[in-house]
Amino acid sequence: MSTSPGGWSELLAREHRAAVSVFAGGILVFAINTFLTAASLPSTIADIGGDEFYAWVVTIFLIASVVASMLVTRALAQFGARGAYLIGFSAFAAGSLICALTPTMPILLAGRLIQGLGGGLLTGLALAVVQIALPQRIWGRAVALISAMWGVGNLLGPALGGLFAEVGLWRGSFWFLTLFTLVIAAIAARVLPRGRGSGERHPLPWASLAAVTVAAGAVSVAGVVGSTSVIVVLGGVALLALVGFVVVDRRGTTGLLPRLTYSVGNPLKWIYLSIAVLAIGSTAEAFLPLFGQQVGGLTPLAAGLMPAALSSGWTVAQIASSTWAHGRSAAAARIAGPAFLAAGMAGYGLLQSSNAPIAVAGWYASLVVAGMGIGMAFPHIATAAMGITTDQAEAARASAGVNSVQMVANTIGSAAAGLLVSIGSDAVGSARLLSFGFACLAVIGVGIAVRSVRPAR
């Protein structure tokens, strides 16, 4: 099979259009939900109460998504792509409907839990279906499109959430998600071929799943508690749980990650770590509007555009790099990505000393550079993981592992960002701690990326 790069026209050709519409739609549903819910949440709390559970609306969704992302390969084997997608869309729509009808915060949290289970399945299925349904020469384009959907969600989500909240209809956010999800589900039911999966029944790696769930849960809770001593304890629990995950997953007969992850000389472990660095870096966007208002004195609208600067750089760079970066150029993009992320975050931190118009313009420019780093590297890193082996079963697990690693990293990154912001002496100090901390991680990511592009021994 030829591995010469294909173009956008091939990705969107009639024979691939069905798969593309479904996996892009699944990612868009998840992305819009992420930002739409955040924008409408203050109005939700004002209506039904439960402000003490504010952070848990996001936390419980993330934990559920992490758990579900680990079950993608098993869902495909048991139900096939069509069945697995319909399960994911159904769960997401059901959770959204519960949130739309909820009279109390505990019921809202239950809806978010179900939403997260469906969302984690949808995001994991996207990469798995790309690996199964599309020729390898257009994987890079497909991953770029998937990543672009996050940028679209970052633009549409806050706007829709803010609009519903502005007119006093926060429930409209969840009604919109319910209806939009059902529309995409109907498309999936129509265009995806019927048929069950392989039927293989591998035992679930319960110990691995439990360990990563404990780690994600501990980090998530650490991000919402106010006690420093409790944060330290939870951080230790998360670290021990991650170490325990590696130990049990490596030794188990059936692990959550492919066996190649633990093979000496195979770059898959470094590929996954590269994905984690970029995913953690992207979580800084949650605090950018806060810094824009508190440090720069920007209006809510202007401050709200700061995450859009990050996502616009991300979207433009990923589409552009998928066009020119192939072979050695793709390897260079994987290394340059975290370097751009480091430079952008460092520049943003250095410019926090002033709120002059030129400095504020520099904030936006720095965030575009940081976003470009994520966008130029991610499609090629994900494609490298998907093509790490010719063994179809292991390749499918490697593809699903990309999403699992991304989900765990997003959870850890969100909590770490919240922690860095909370220990800052003032708004400027918090902004610098977050930006310089993530810049240092990105510098380490450059070294990890260099390791990841080395051929397997």
Side-chain angles (χ1 to χ4, degrees):
M1 180 179 66
S2 173
T3 57
S4 58
W8 289 104
S9 59
E10 183 178 2
L11 176 66
L12 301 176
R14 181 182 297 274
E15 63 269 27
H16 301 140
R17 204 170 295 160
V20 169
S21 61
V22 173
F23 70 64
I27 294 295
L28 185 58
V29 163
F30 189 100
I32 290 178
N33 162 77
T34 299
F35 303 107
L36 186 151
T37 303
S40 60
L41 189 55
S43 297
T44 305
I45 297 294
D47 185 21
I48 65 174
D51 58 318
E52 67 271 23
F53 296 110
Y54 190 104
W56 282 99
V57 175
V58 175
T59 299
I60 200 167
F61 178 87
L62 288 174
I63 294 174
S65 296
V66 168
V67 173
S69 72
M70 303 289 180
L71 305 176
V72 169
T73 305
R74 185 178 178 89
L76 281 171
Q78 292 299 309
F79 307 107
R82 184 177 187 271
Y85 256 115
L86 291 180
I87 291 172
F89 282 125
S90 298
F92 196 90
S96 300
L97 181 60
I98 291 171
C99 292
L101 296 173
T102 181
T104 64
M105 178 56 73
I107 295 178
L108 178 74
L109 293 179
R112 291 288 285 170
L113 174 67
I114 297 172
Q115 256 194 337
L117 292 173
L121 195 57
L122 292 175
T123 54
L125 283 169
L127 289 173
V129 167
V130 167
Q131 193 271 335
I132 293 171
L134 302 181
Q136 186 171 354
R137 61 181 175 273
I138 57 173
W139 283 358
R141 308 281 191 191
V143 174
L145 179 62
I146 288 173
S147 192
M149 291 299 100
W150 286 99
V152 174
N154 199 357
L155 294 173
L156 292 180
L160 289 171
L163 177 62
F164 283 121
E166 186 72 21
V167 298
L169 295 174
W170 65 265
R171 294 179 190 272
S173 297
F174 293 108
W175 280 115
F176 171 82
L177 286 171
T178 303
L179 295 175
F180 185 49
T181 303
L182 290 175
V183 169
I184 304 297
I187 295 174
R190 181 178 177 84
V191 303
L192 292 180
R194 294 180 180 272
R196 300 187 64 82
S198 64
E200 295 180 84
R201 298 186 63 87
H202 298 293
L204 275 176
W206 290 110
S208 299
L209 188 58
V212 77
T213 302
V214 169
V219 172
S220 297
V221 175
V224 300
V225 298
S227 170
T228 302
S229 59
V230 174
I231 290 173
V232 171
V233 171
L234 289 172
V237 170
L239 182 60
L240 289 175
L242 287 174
V243 172
F245 165 76
V246 173
V247 172
V248 299
D249 202 58
R250 182 176 184 176
R251 293 180 178 178
T253 55
T254 302
L256 286 173
L257 297 179
R259 307 308 302 168
L260 292 174
T261 309
Y262 309 106
S263 298
V264 176
N266 191 284
L268 187 57
K269 64 178 72 66
W270 301 109
I271 291 173
Y272 282 159
L273 285 173
S274 292
I275 290 170
V277 168
L278 297 179
I280 291 173
S282 71
T283 62
E285 66 185 3
F287 294 92
L288 298 178
L290 176 68
F291 297 148
Q293 293 183 55
Q294 291 187 350
V295 180
L298 303 178
T299 65
L301 176 60
L305 292 176
M306 297 189 74
L310 188 74
S311 63
S312 64
W314 177 343
T315 302
V316 171
Q318 67 199 1
I319 293 175
S321 71
S322 70
T323 300
W324 61 263
H326 306 288
R328 292 185 177 179
S329 297
R334 288 163 58 182
I335 296 171
F340 270 65
L341 176 60
M345 293 307 299
Y348 176 75
L350 289 170
L351 290 170
Q352 294 300 306
S353 59
S354 171
N355 61 359
I358 190 171
V360 173
W363 297 355
Y364 286 97
S366 296
L367 292 172
V368 169
V369 171
M372 288 174 62
I374 299 172
M376 74 172 63
F378 183 81
H380 306 294
I381 299 172
T383 301
M386 293 160 60
I388 197 68
T389 177
T390 56
D391 183 310
Q392 288 298 313
E394 282 293 276
R397 296 179 66 202
S399 299
V402 170
N403 182 65
S404 298
V405 170
Q406 187 178 5
M407 286 289 180
V408 173
N410 281 337
T411 304
I412 292 174
S414 296
L419 181 59
L420 289 171
V421 168
S422 68
I423 62 179
S425 57
D426 54 20
V428 172
S430 294
R432 285 179 169 173
L433 276 174
L434 176 60
S435 55
F436 292 152
F438 278 18
C440 289
L441 177 64
V443 170
I444 296 172
V446 173
I448 292 172
V450 170
R451 296 292 298 270
S452 75
V453 300
R454 293 177 180 174
R457 297 197 305 269

